[in-house]
Amino acid sequence: MTEPIRVLVVDDDPELRDFLREHLEEHGCAISTAPDGQAGWQILRSQGFDVALVDLVMPRLDGLDLLRRLKEEEEGGPEVIILTGHAELDTAVEALKLGACDYLRKPCHPPELAVVIRKAWERRRLSQENRALKRMVAQRLEGPVLIAESPAMRGIMRDVKKVAATDSPVLIQGESGTGKELIARAIVQQSARAGRVFLTVNCGAFQDELLESELFGHERGAFTGAVAQKPGLFEVAHGGTLFLDEVGEMSPAMQAKLLRVLEEGEIRRVGGTRVLRVDVRVLAATNRDLERETIAGRFRKDLFYRLHVLSLALPPLRERREDIPILIAHFMERLARRRPPKQVSGEALGLLVDHAWPGNVRELENLMERLVVFSEGEVIEVADLPVAIRAPGAARAAGEAESPSPRDEAEALSLKEVERRHIAAVLARSRGNRAKAARLLGIDVKTLYNKLRTYARAGDGLEGSP
Ligand SMILES: Nc1ncnc2c1ncn2[C@@H]1O[C@H](COP(=O)(O)OP(=O)(O)OP(=O)(O)O)[C@@H](O)[C@H]1O
Ligand SMILES: [Mg+2]
């Protein structure tokens, strides 16, 4: 996007305003004007500008006061260049101290001014990038850790690496709480766009028109309430990645607009006529079965096919139970905050591994947090667990009137099952370190790997009696 530099000229001299407008537009600036500091302040607050050229002496609000307000109130506001008829050293120093980026004497020579404006614009872009980087570094230090121990998840991680090497849209499907957003972040981190802008929008959280203006922006006056022009997320994410969460909730009309961006790489603001080219990678997620939605006519086929080219299906947690002990160890560690993490007794762990986890990893994470807070001892025991997990058979029989499973299930475990639960417990205690777990179990690592692979193959069959 080679867009003009947006400049606001704040000066009480109408001739100078006209003169600057005329000459600076030749130098790639889009000029707006305000006759005094107060008016300038109003405009700057409601619209986006890259640079403000501000006269020093003006009625209502003078240049220094306007500068002071701008720097106090707004992070990421425009760069300010002070213009003055009678340059005095103290005011110049004062202006620079307040954060002005330059101080120029009238009369103005447009070519010279154009150079100063471009430098200011450059400085603004750098400080924007700098802020984005800082935010991302902070995020990375806290670091989203992605546990992927099960063969299923390791397969997903291999796919993540492959799709990260491309620039095409990716669809991430999976039940609620399976880690779709985490996977989206992992894709970005491994892609060439790592460290660039990454924005998320929940498509299910907006009504149609709002979503459209959120994604594509709007021009001033495009609809009631559009008092200022606003860039959309596709513009803001230019050069980076946009994560469209809950993409299955989009209306057919919005789906058509999304398809157009994906195919043409172009957007138009609501109420606007100009077509803007954007370079944005799109990642999308949904917990709906989009193929079924397509068949039911609720999701456009063409968009589905476009998104489906690269798609990842995250398995529910109950289909990758080997991840559970390690996830538990990971959450316990994270929740411990400088104290030694709480342990989970072998028996309790066995029950946790067997639970169906309809809310997937998020449910597990939430439960761990509750257990850390409410359990009394240093070890979480069976008695600390919620009934639904402690006595799944009873809960199921009472709640869903299914055929009751044997009440004495706990005593009727097969030898294999006991072994599996014990291995899960030891793995959790050794924080997923397999070499250590194997040592504790008195078997070699290869045997442990083989056993884990067998459990993985058994997949869902781990539930109930084997
Ligand atoms: N493999 C994983 N390793 C570590 N933490 C995970 C993993 N998967 C999910 N989580 C954690 O579980 C929670 C839910 O994950 P996330 O928000 O990515 O799920 P989601 O699929 O986007 O859910 P929803 O459909 O409800 O939006 C988050 O706190 C996330 O950090
Ligand atoms: Mg999510």
Side-chain angles (χ1 to χ4, degrees):
M1 275 192 307
T2 48
E3 295 223 16
I5 302 179
R6 299 163 304 173
V7 179
L8 181 70
V9 176
V10 190
D11 200 306
D12 55 343
D13 174 357
E15 271 171 37
L16 182 73
R17 293 200 301 268
D18 289 344
F19 174 80
L20 288 180
R21 180 198 298 281
E22 193 177 319
H23 287 89
L24 288 175
E25 288 192 334
E26 289 164 15
H27 289 277
C29 299
I31 305 291
S32 305
T33 60
D36 61 55
Q38 190 62 38
W41 171 240
Q42 298 295 340
I43 296 176
L44 285 169
R45 277 216 325 183
S46 59
Q47 298 177 40
F49 285 95
D50 302 306
V51 179
L53 292 181
V54 177
D55 186 23
L56 199 55
V57 185
M58 290 179 293
R60 297 218 286 170
L61 187 69
D62 73 25
L64 284 187
D65 283 335
L66 174 58
L67 173 62
R68 202 171 283 128
R69 270 200 206 176
L70 269 174
K71 294 295 167 183
E72 265 167 22
E73 278 209 18
E74 250 162 325
E75 199 189 15
E79 290 295 337
V80 177
I81 297 167
I82 297 281
L83 297 177
T84 178
H86 25 84
E88 284 168 24
L89 196 58
D90 325 0
T91 47
V93 170
E94 175 78 30
L96 294 176
K97 261 198 208 150
L98 286 172
C101 97
D102 223 322
Y103 186 91
L104 291 183
R105 205 180 178 148
K106 292 182 196 171
C108 306
H109 304 290
E112 185 192 342
L113 193 50
V115 171
V116 175
I117 289 173
R118 184 152 292 276
K119 251 171 43 195
W121 175 80
E122 196 93 302
R123 173 165 139 160
R124 177 159 188 270
R125 203 177 48 88
L126 283 176
S127 78
Q128 274 174 334
E129 259 176 34
N130 200 18
R131 264 200 315 280
L133 280 177
K134 271 191 193 148
R135 215 176 310 130
M136 276 182 285
V137 168
Q139 210 174 55
R140 198 161 310 172
L141 286 181
E142 291 163 20
V145 179
L146 205 160
I147 306 285
E149 284 291 319
S150 57
M153 281 304 285
R154 276 188 280 143
I156 295 275
M157 293 316 285
R158 280 195 297 276
D159 291 345
V160 162
K161 196 168 164 192
K162 287 180 201 151
V163 301
T166 79
D167 225 13
S168 309
V170 179
L171 177 67
I172 306 164
Q173 293 184 274
E175 289 180 11
S176 176
T178 44
K180 296 184 291 297
E181 181 158 357
L182 216 52
I183 289 290
R185 289 179 187 279
I187 293 173
V188 174
Q189 262 176 27
Q190 296 185 32
S191 79
R193 293 171 189 253
R196 314 286 289 275
V197 203
F198 174 68
L199 298 176
T200 294
V201 58
N202 185 339
C203 304
F206 296 92
Q207 287 178 330
D208 240 30
E209 288 133 49
L210 277 180
L211 182 61
E212 183 175 3
S213 115
E214 191 72 12
L215 290 178
F216 304 124
H218 61 247
E219 297 294 348
R220 183 173 174 187
F223 46 84
T224 4
V227 288
Q229 171 249 78
K230 194 184 118 195
L233 294 176
F234 269 103
E235 273 175 79
V236 182
H238 184 65
T241 310
L242 183 57
F243 177 48
L244 302 175
D245 207 355
E246 314 292 1
V247 73
E249 312 303 311
M250 266 190 184
S251 73
M254 280 306 295
Q255 292 169 24
K257 291 187 171 141
L258 175 59
L259 182 65
R260 220 189 35 227
V261 195
L262 294 180
E263 294 196 327
E264 322 285 341
E266 289 176 350
I267 57 155
R268 198 174 322 151
R269 292 187 186 141
V270 178
T273 47
R274 212 149 40 106
V275 169
L276 304 171
R277 284 210 66 77
V278 289
D279 165 28
V280 173
R281 190 199 193 162
V282 170
L283 305 178
T286 178
N287 52 26
R288 295 192 185 220
D289 180 343
L290 271 201
E291 186 157 24
R292 242 196 2 230
E293 296 292 299
T294 307
I295 293 164
R298 284 186 293 265
F299 202 82
R300 289 180 65 109
K301 276 204 189 75
D302 43 12
L303 179 59
F304 173 71
Y305 290 132
R306 184 70 201 90
L307 289 174
H308 195 65
V309 176
L310 301 183
S311 79
L312 303 178
L314 293 191
L317 190 55
R318 63 185 170 279
E319 286 172 17
R320 47 178 163 114
R321 295 179 190 272
E322 311 90 301
D323 285 335
I324 295 175
I326 298 131
L327 281 167
I328 291 176
H330 162 67
F331 292 137
M332 284 304 176
E333 192 131 318
R334 218 183 51 197
L335 290 163
R337 302 203 185 285
R338 273 180 266 141
R339 283 186 304 143
K342 285 195 182 182
Q343 303 290 309
V344 179
S345 80
E347 208 185 338
L349 190 72
L351 290 170
L352 290 168
V353 169
D354 279 352
H355 184 56
W357 301 110
N360 295 293
V361 184
R362 179 175 296 111
E363 184 189 1
L364 177 63
E365 185 176 13
N366 292 343
L367 175 66
M368 288 306 118
E369 188 168 352
R370 220 165 64 221
L371 288 176
V372 164
V373 173
F374 287 120
S375 74
E376 306 277 341
E378 283 313 296
V379 179
I380 289 162
E381 305 283 358
V382 173
D384 296 315
L385 302 180
V387 176
I389 294 178
R390 214 162 55 204
R396 217 178 293 147
E400 294 163 28
E402 270 179 16
S403 57
S405 35
R407 270 214 315 282
D408 53 357
E409 190 198 351
E411 287 104 276
L413 292 178
S414 71
L415 202 54
K416 262 217 194 91
E417 185 59 15
V418 172
E419 178 189 279
R420 190 182 65 83
R421 290 187 183 191
H422 182 59
I423 288 179
V426 172
L427 260 177
R429 235 169 290 150
S430 47
R431 311 266 151 74
N433 180 332
R434 293 173 185 201
K436 194 169 157 199
R439 238 181 358 261
L440 289 171
L441 289 162
I443 57 178
D444 66 39
V445 188
K446 230 167 95 194
T447 313
L448 178 60
Y449 270 100
N450 284 337
K451 286 186 184 297
L452 290 175
R453 212 166 299 136
T454 326
Y455 303 148
R457 266 202 298 276
D460 221 355
L462 292 181
E463 207 174 11
S465 42

